Amino acid sequence: MLNYLVKRIFTAVIVILGVSTAVFLLIHVVPGDPIQAMLGETALPGNIEAIRIALGLDLPIHQQWLEFMRGLLRFDLGESLYSRRAVAEIIYERLGPTAVLAFASLVIAMLIAFPLGILAAICKNTIWDSLAMSFSILGVAIPNFWMGPVLILVFSIGLGWLPVSGHESISSLVLPALTLGTALAAILSRMIRSALLEVLNEDYIIAARARGLSTLHILLQHALPNAALPVITVLGMQFGNLLAGAVITETIFSWPGIGQLTIESIQRRDYPVVQACVLLISITYVFINLVTDLCYGMVDPRVRVEQ
Amino acid sequence: MKFRMTFPLLTILCWGLVALLAGILPLEPDRINLEKVLVPPDWQSWLGYDDLGRAIVDRLVMGARTSLLVAICVVFISAVFGTLLGILAGSIGGRWDQCFVIILDIFMAFPGILLAIALAGLLGPGILNAVIALSIVGWVGFARLARAQTLSIKHREHIMAAHALGMRGWRIGRQHILPLITAPLIVEATFAVAATVIAEASLSFLGLGVQAPAASWGSMIREGTRYMLVAPHMVLAPGIAICVVVLSINLLGDQFRDRIDVRQLKPLS
């Protein structure tokens, strides 16, 4: 187990190093001169030079990389070209709203996916199963940049129940979280169904049934814990999609999180902030996958033995 | 044939036909008609007009062409590069393969289309840059699958025999490995088309894909969100188009997967 832990953490560190390097290189994919692109055609040569030096783009590339990495270790992500404030500070302000949105979406996704997945598995090949799986297939096909406007159309404009955008109250969290959550719920419910179906055929479930245990008891005590592993894996992997989806969802609902900041910074050509946002989201994703992997042993004793 | 097969096939056929015929049909997707601004659907124009009085049907057809074009280009480029590199890494093995896996891991650490959004944003908006950005993200799935499949079959006897007969590496790859791993790759490609349709529309929605006045389903939704109070039809039509197309491709992919029954394949979202 310890061996596995060390190896897994080592891989994560290498991947984070690679991701940082890739993000560092992002600014170098800007065609032509990135500073010129940022300031526009009418920029004065003196200004271009000043920003180049401020960004450290006048140094040789390996030195730029070292500076970038050194900065990262000190959580120094440079200065925004737009507002002249420290990038770390800007990011810090936006962390809260994104964390709240991600958490709320996760809760909504689980609240939808578990009942649906369980219902579909228990009532396999009935109308309930078909209905639940239709939701799943449809949920994957509906992009969140359409889901969001449609929800606004129905609940804000049509029924007037919820605000269109903003983040002042709990009610303004509902629509963005629902937009992000349903997409995740669609994938998750399908996974829960298939994981449960596999488990429900096992001998110990039949034995439990023969002992006269209630369906609810069998589900909660015997089936769900054993079906948890693939579900947790999918949850960890899909969390990344949730974060990427937040970029679009936050833009739709003017939710002041990291996602909205990413798009705003792309539009302003504020490269250091774009780099920081992409880096932060990716590292969070790597970290969450690491935690999910490490959780396996806790959730499922069989994994501990095998490793 | 079952409904689950006919519905997706018909939809995809329609999508392809409409996209192909877009150049021939008498369409006026860019014609501004100020008298028709935001006019809702009626019997003469099925889907109504947008904020500049352009017919939404015409723009929907042009959007179909955009999404098909981008999807085919991206999936083709990703599949060719990904498969090639995957087979190469899988058959060479050793240190090179380990390095390759780390590179794949690094690419996969960027969740969803985040990297594509960043790349498209930095490269500058435009359909070509969107294709480049999506291809840079898209090859990874194919490479991973091709590598895993190659690893699972490379010790088969007929491949050992080919080695023993002194066949060159690339010929073994082309003649003996590729044909055996094509089926799962086709399934992957089907799901990749669906994912690319959504990804292209997402980029265009964010203003990073096709540029005005060219039409994309994503940019049509973006334009429509500003007029949702007065003209909800602007948002509904392109959204339904995306959903139906993506739903059909995913259903088709499911059918393919059931046919070949490769359990290790994961559904793309």
Side-chain angles (χ1 to χ4, degrees), chain B residues 69-119:
Chain B
L69 199 73
V70 172
I72 288 178
C73 288
V74 169
V75 174
F76 180 76
I77 297 171
S78 313
V80 169
F81 274 95
T83 309
L84 213 71
L85 290 172
I87 293 180
L88 201 67
S91 22
I92 293 176
R95 283 273 161 81
W96 288 107
D97 184 42
Q98 280 174 1
C99 290
F100 186 70
V101 171
I102 290 177
I103 293 175
L104 289 184
D105 280 348
I106 291 171
F107 269 91
M108 301 216 326
F110 294 99
I113 64 159
L114 178 72
L115 186 60
I117 290 177
L119 278 171

Side-chain angles (χ1 to χ4, degrees), chain A residues 57 61-62 70 82 131 209-210 216 236 255-256 264 272 283 294:
Chain A
L57 286 175
I61 193 155
H62 63 274
R70 215 173 282 160
Y82 176 77
L131 279 177
R209 240 186 253 286
L216 190 72
W255 188 260
E264 282 171 2
I283 289 181
L294 300 183

Side-chain angles (χ1 to χ4, degrees), chain B:
Chain B
M1 259 197 304
K2 283 192 303 184
F3 172 77
R4 283 183 77 127
M5 200 69 187
T6 39
F7 167 72
L9 278 178
L10 276 178
T11 315
I12 294 167
L13 202 70
C14 272
W15 180 41
L17 265 180
V18 163
L20 276 177
L21 296 178
I24 311 168
L25 294 171
L27 301 172
E28 295 176 318
D30 301 334
R31 183 160 163 254
I32 293 171
N33 186 350
L34 293 179
E35 284 170 12
K36 297 265 174 93
V37 167
L38 300 180
V39 169
D42 54 28
W43 285 111
Q44 274 166 356
S45 68
W46 304 347
L47 299 175
Y49 292 85
D50 70 1
D51 53 321
L52 295 173
R54 300 173 294 192
I56 291 183
V57 181
D58 293 9
R59 295 187 66 72
L60 210 61
V61 170
M62 296 315 279
R65 194 167 75 159
T66 308
S67 67
L68 186 72
L69 199 73
V70 172
I72 288 178
C73 288
V74 169
V75 174
F76 180 76
I77 297 171
S78 313
V80 169
F81 274 95
T83 309
L84 213 71
L85 290 172
I87 293 180
L88 201 67
S91 22
I92 293 176
R95 283 273 161 81
W96 288 107
D97 184 42
Q98 280 174 1
C99 290
F100 186 70
V101 171
I102 290 177
I103 293 175
L104 289 184
D105 280 348
I106 291 171
F107 269 91
M108 301 216 326
F110 294 99
I113 64 159
L114 178 72
L115 186 60
I117 290 177
L119 278 171
L122 295 176
L123 287 169
I127 194 162
L128 183 67
N129 285 343
V131 170
I132 295 174
L134 291 173
S135 303
I136 291 177
V137 177
W139 70 277
V140 185
F142 289 97
R144 215 164 68 117
L145 184 64
R147 177 186 165 272
Q149 295 285 326
T150 307
L151 282 182
S152 72
I153 63 163
K154 80 173 188 181
H155 293 301
R156 285 206 187 163
E157 280 167 357
H158 75 281
I159 292 174
M160 309 268 242
H163 271 297
L165 288 169
M167 217 174 187
R168 278 174 191 279
W170 65 269
R171 246 185 100 189
I172 295 179
R174 198 172 50 107
Q175 293 191 344
H176 296 293
I177 297 180
L178 189 61
L180 288 181
I181 67 171
T182 314
L185 283 171
I186 288 176
V187 176
E188 174 87 7
T190 315
F191 287 117
V193 171
T196 310
V197 169
I198 289 199
E200 180 274 321
S202 306
L203 290 182
S204 296
F205 175 81
L206 293 170
L208 303 171
V210 298
Q211 294 301 292
S216 150
W217 292 340
S219 63
M220 287 172 73
I221 294 180
R222 172 193 170 87
E223 288 155 14
T225 47
R226 283 180 231 142
Y227 300 95
M228 241 164 16
L229 263 178
V230 281
H233 62 273
M234 276 181 72
V235 170
L236 292 178
I240 292 172
I242 295 177
C243 291
V244 171
V245 164
V246 172
L247 182 71
S248 306
I249 305 171
N250 279 338
L251 283 176
L252 197 71
D254 279 344
Q255 297 284 327
F256 282 166
R257 188 171 43 189
D258 290 349
R259 293 262 164 103
I260 65 164
D261 192 36
V262 184
R263 285 200 60 180
Q264 66 264 41
L265 281 177
K266 67 174 177 61
L268 274 178
S269 54

